[in-house]
Amino acid sequence: MNYKIVADSASNVFSLDDVAFSCVPLKIICGDNEYVDTPELDLAAMLQNLKTTKQKSSTSCPNVYDWMQSFEGADHIFAVCITGNLSGSYAAAEQAKDLYLQDHPEAKIHVINTLTAGPEMRLIVEKLQQLILKGMSFEYIVQAIKVYATHTHLTFCLQSLTNLARNGRVSPAIAKITSMLGIRLVGRASDVGTLEPFGKIRGEAKTLEAMLKEMISRGFKGGLVRISHCLNLEAANTFKQMILDKFQNCDVRIEPCSALCSFYAEIGGMLVGYESL
């Protein structure tokens, strides 16, 4: 069996050791500029443009052809997609699966609507990698990853809602008031794959405390944690230490947000994927 994991770039995963892997990039459109979410992108330039522009900004998902190309070279494929409630990436991957199987009837493809984004998607990719390297069958992995995904979660904090407002996710009035008052929005990925705010908090310390409290309330007991930040490494390190102070043997890793996650998180934002095993 020739396995391959394919993920769209909302996962923040661009390479993987020991298992065949492809990343299908999303795009960020800001006025006349189009930014392709790859490691080569000048992220600082994109963020500066988004910060200063008065033009409309939006995102664009991979198309069916992009997904079909990414499936090439394998006969057992797992496609990991950002929540279908934020993007058409999942729908495109499902269409690509049907078309690919017409020409490759021997192949097996499992498309995963993760109902999340960023570091929670990374956890799912890492679990797939682990199961493949253990030599598990395709059918076993499909069932195991469905169960695992019920034990992963995402919490986040945002210092700015400008891009969400421009993209129609929140009202411009709320975005403006939040910025003026220095309020940070704290939320989670809901069970149906939407971004669900649960608090509006002033101050970094209280924000991080609320995020850790949220994790524990959802069953976190010291499993894997993946933190993605948008130009806010100091807060990410502080949060990592808060977790380790309470759960000494916890595996916590920090990485910068990709372009797509930076678009939603904005400067100062942070996304945290974690297990509740």
Side-chain angles (χ1 to χ4, degrees):
M1 291 183 290
N2 188 4
Y3 281 103
K4 188 175 189 180
I5 301 171
V6 182
D8 65 44
S9 61
S11 66
N12 262 9
V13 183
F14 294 101
S15 63
L16 209 59
D17 294 334
D18 304 319
V19 174
F21 178 79
S22 288
C23 178
V24 187
L26 287 95
K27 298 176 182 177
I28 296 87
I29 297 98
C30 180
D32 296 329
N33 295 303
E34 180 179 87
Y35 300 95
V36 181
D37 192 1
T38 67
E40 294 75 32
L41 174 67
D42 186 343
L43 186 59
M46 184 196 83
L47 291 170
Q48 180 62 26
N49 190 15
L50 287 168
K51 183 178 179 180
T52 58
T53 187
K54 301 296 183 181
Q55 296 178 296
K56 183 180 178 180
S57 57
S58 61
T59 63
S60 174
C61 70
N63 61 38
V64 174
Y65 178 73
D66 294 332
W67 278 107
M68 285 184 64
Q69 273 197 314
S70 73
F71 294 159
E72 292 291 346
D75 53 19
H76 290 69
I77 303 157
F78 296 95
V80 184
C81 310
I82 184 176
T83 173
N85 278 309
L86 284 182
S87 169
S89 184
Y90 170 68
E94 282 283 12
Q95 293 178 51
K97 169 187 172 180
D98 293 340
L99 292 172
Y100 190 83
L101 290 176
Q102 291 178 18
D103 295 330
H104 304 81
E106 77 290 348
K108 295 181 180 180
I109 305 174
H110 179 53
V111 181
I112 304 169
N113 179 4
T114 63
L115 301 178
T116 191
E120 187 181 357
M121 289 178 68
R122 173 177 281 279
L123 289 175
I124 291 170
V125 170
E126 289 180 3
K127 176 58 73 170
L128 287 169
Q129 177 191 34
Q130 179 188 88
L131 292 168
I132 290 170
L133 292 176
K134 285 184 176 180
M136 301 301 182
S137 70
F138 182 85
E139 291 73 19
Y140 178 90
I141 295 173
V142 168
Q143 294 306 312
I145 207 65
K146 287 179 180 178
V147 173
Y148 181 71
T150 66
H151 295 282
T152 62
H153 310 278
L154 179 79
T155 185
F156 61 85
C157 66
L158 308 177
Q159 292 188 25
S160 172
L161 306 180
T162 302
N163 291 336
L164 287 172
R166 287 175 179 161
N167 211 20
R169 304 293 180 183
V170 300
S171 76
I174 291 175
K176 186 174 182 179
I177 291 171
T178 299
S179 177
M180 288 174 60
L181 298 180
I183 295 172
R184 304 182 191 209
L185 185 72
V186 185
R188 63 174 74 91
S190 73
D191 293 338
V192 294
T194 57
L195 299 180
E196 181 179 79
F198 63 80
K200 298 174 183 177
I201 304 170
R202 284 184 177 175
E204 181 177 279
K206 290 182 179 180
T207 299
L208 299 182
E209 288 171 5
M211 293 175 70
L212 185 54
K213 183 178 180 180
E214 160 72 5
M215 291 169 62
I216 294 171
S217 73
R218 301 197 76 184
F220 176 68
K221 297 179 181 178
L224 300 181
V225 180
R226 301 294 180 258
I227 301 173
S228 298
H229 68 91
C230 184
L231 302 184
N232 200 359
L233 180 58
E234 183 176 354
N237 279 323
T238 298
F239 193 55
K240 175 179 178 178
Q241 192 57 53
M242 287 172 63
I243 296 169
L244 293 176
D245 286 345
K246 198 169 187 68
F247 303 97
Q248 287 79 15
N249 297 318
C250 186
D251 180 351
V252 186
R253 301 180 193 176
I254 297 172
E255 65 183 0
C257 285
S258 66
L260 189 280
C261 289
S262 293
F263 176 80
Y264 285 112
E266 298 193 50
I267 295 173
M270 190 161 63
L271 312 174
V272 182
Y274 60 98
E275 295 177 335
S276 62
L277 300 179

